[in-house]
């Protein structure tokens, strides 16, 4: 398939017939923590 490039950059590889391989950087753990704190899971506290 397509070669695996640096995972820290956005890239898209076209494989044919509408198939793409899209790689993008992972979310930072600090951002994940903040979004979890600001929007807790729906229905958790009832």
């Amino acid at each position: 398939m397509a070669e695996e490039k640096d995972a820290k950059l956005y890239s898209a590889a076209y494989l044919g017939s509408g198939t793409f391989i899209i790689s993008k950087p992972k979310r930072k753990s600090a951002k994940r923590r903040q979004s979890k704190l600001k929007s807790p899971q729906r229905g958790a506290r009832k």
Side-chain angles (χ1 to χ4, degrees):
M1 280 209 215
E3 67 274 6
E4 191 62 37
K5 287 185 202 159
D6 192 8
K8 293 169 180 54
L9 299 174
Y10 289 91
S11 68
Y14 181 62
L15 295 185
S17 72
T19 306
F20 289 87
I21 291 184
I22 300 171
S23 69
K24 59 183 185 173
K26 300 289 183 205
R27 291 177 69 186
K28 309 233 177 340
S29 57
K31 278 203 174 204
R32 280 206 337 259
R33 179 177 173 273
Q34 280 301 314
S35 67
K36 193 165 186 160
L37 284 172
K38 287 193 84 161
S39 58
Q41 189 175 3
R42 185 174 177 272
R45 207 190 298 181
K46 272 193 176 175

